[in-house]
């Protein structure tokens, strides 16, 4: 309860039937479950093709990955929503975008044939198709809520993404390829928008990042609430198994 009103976080899953590659929906489930374990109520909104929407009403937005076919299907519909989406992201909507969702937020995707497919142009990033897919488990060194830590996940993408002005990488690659297999970085952070090529899904494998996104969503609501500690022993053990496995390669 807050000021006599029940606290409810509104979560938006954008195009859940089209952008759900490699179980990306698990990111939404992890966000919701870790809220509910703390008695934070959540209302899930599934936004589909053709549905009008005001993104400013949401506290957390998830955009998953999809194949080229799915992204082509939704491109026209998403163009109608871009002004609302851009305004909400500029204002600080907490967002997680994975793989294709990550690429869509950028300026363009250049195909292997040299064709430039326009993106939403919200973030200063662009993506170029590579000749070979970048596939495998990934280990990142990064800061989560200002604290040094590690993220683990699985990548499988042909696109090589490059960051522009004002966009910071999510982390430095210790194992794997990352954004483009060249500069040693993975993902992107701009305002409250977190982007990554890591499936897995990302949030169930990395509970600290999940809690950070929950804290950001609460803070945007003006709720500076210290999250109730949870027993993360199993989650931490799973992370460390992957870290040790990747470091021993």
């Amino acid at each position: 309860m807050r000021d006599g009103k029940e606290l409810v976080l509104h979560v938006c899953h954008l195009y859940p039937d089209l952008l759900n590659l490699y179980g990306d929906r698990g990111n939404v489930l992890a966000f919701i479950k870790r809220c509910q374990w703390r008695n934070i109520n959540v209302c899930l909104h599934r936004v589909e093709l053709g549905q009008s929407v005001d993104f400013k009403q949401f506290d957390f937005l998830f955009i998953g990955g999809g194949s080229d076919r799915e992204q082509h299907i939704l491109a026209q519909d998403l163009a109608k929503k871009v002004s609302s989406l851009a305004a909400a992201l500029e204002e600080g909507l907490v967002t997680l975008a994975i793989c294709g969702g990550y690429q869509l937020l950028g300026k363009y995707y250049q195909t292997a044939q040299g064709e430039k497919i326009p993106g939403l142009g919200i973030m200063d990033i662009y993506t170029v198709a590579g000749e070979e897919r970048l596939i495998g488990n990934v280990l990142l060194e990064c800061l989560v809520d200002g604290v040094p830590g590690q993220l683990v996940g699985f990548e499988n993408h042909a696109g090589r993404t490059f960051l522009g002005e004002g966009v910071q990488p999510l982390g430095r690659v210790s194992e794997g390829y990352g954004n483009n297999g060249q500069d040693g970085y993975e993902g992107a952070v701009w305002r409250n928008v977190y982007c990554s090529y890591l499936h897995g899904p990302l949030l169930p494998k990395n509970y600290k990042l999940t809690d950070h996104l929950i804290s950001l969503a609460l803070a945007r609501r003006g709720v500076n609430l210290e999250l109730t500690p949870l027993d993360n022993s199993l989650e931490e053990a799973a992370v460390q198994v992957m870290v040790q496995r990747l470091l021993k390669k």
Side-chain angles (χ1 to χ4, degrees), residues 12-28 47 60-67 70-71 74 78 95-105 194 196-199 201-202:
C12 174
H13 189 174
L14 187 60
Y15 306 125
D17 293 331
L18 292 173
L19 299 181
N20 183 32
L21 205 59
Y22 306 121
D24 282 340
R25 187 171 68 97
N27 291 300
V28 175
V47 175
F60 176 67
L61 167 65
F62 176 70
I63 312 173
S67 69
E70 276 94 20
Q71 290 181 214
L74 62 83
L78 193 54
T95 299
L96 177 64
I98 300 294
C99 200
Y102 174 17
Q103 296 169 354
L104 281 170
L105 294 176
Y194 287 69
S196 177
Y197 273 113
L198 299 190
H199 299 278
L202 178 61

Side-chain angles (χ1 to χ4, degrees), residues 64-243:
S67 69
D68 291 347
R69 175 183 174 276
E70 276 94 20
Q71 290 181 214
H72 180 72
I73 290 173
L74 62 83
Q76 191 173 6
D77 185 74
L78 193 54
K80 299 175 183 175
K81 297 179 170 68
V82 66
S83 60
S84 172
L85 178 59
L89 299 189
E90 185 76 30
E91 185 267 341
L93 173 61
V94 181
T95 299
L96 177 64
I98 300 294
C99 200
Y102 174 17
Q103 296 169 354
L104 281 170
L105 294 176
K107 292 180 174 178
Y108 62 83
Y109 182 98
Q110 181 173 307
T111 69
Q113 292 71 39
E115 180 188 4
K116 286 187 178 179
I117 301 172
L120 298 176
I122 297 174
M123 294 174 59
D124 187 5
I125 61 174
Y126 67 93
T127 302
V128 179
E131 294 183 355
E132 297 180 355
R133 298 191 70 82
L134 306 179
I135 304 172
N137 288 310
V138 180
L139 172 62
L140 302 183
E141 302 290 337
C142 63
L143 294 176
V144 178
D145 198 14
V147 179
Q150 296 164 314
L151 298 178
V152 295
F154 173 79
E155 63 182 333
N156 183 355
H157 54 102
R160 274 65 165 165
T161 296
F162 299 87
L163 310 185
E165 188 174 349
V167 182
Q168 302 298 317
L170 176 62
R172 181 180 293 275
V173 177
S174 292
E175 291 291 334
Y177 298 100
N179 280 335
N180 48 53
Q182 300 174 27
D183 61 19
Y185 292 110
E186 204 287 324
V189 180
W190 173 76
R191 297 190 180 275
N192 281 340
V193 180
Y194 287 69
C195 302
S196 177
Y197 273 113
L198 299 190
H199 299 278
L202 178 61
L203 295 189
K205 282 191 171 183
N206 298 280
Y207 69 94
K208 293 180 181 177
L209 180 60
T210 312
D211 285 355
H212 178 53
L213 297 179
I214 293 172
S215 293
L216 288 175
L218 290 169
R220 179 168 170 267
R221 275 289 201 90
V223 181
N224 294 311
L225 176 70
E226 186 172 345
L227 294 183
T228 303
L230 300 175
D231 179 1
N232 296 311
S233 54
L234 288 177
E235 290 87 345
E236 183 61 31
V239 170
Q240 291 308 314
V241 165
M242 280 306 302
V243 170

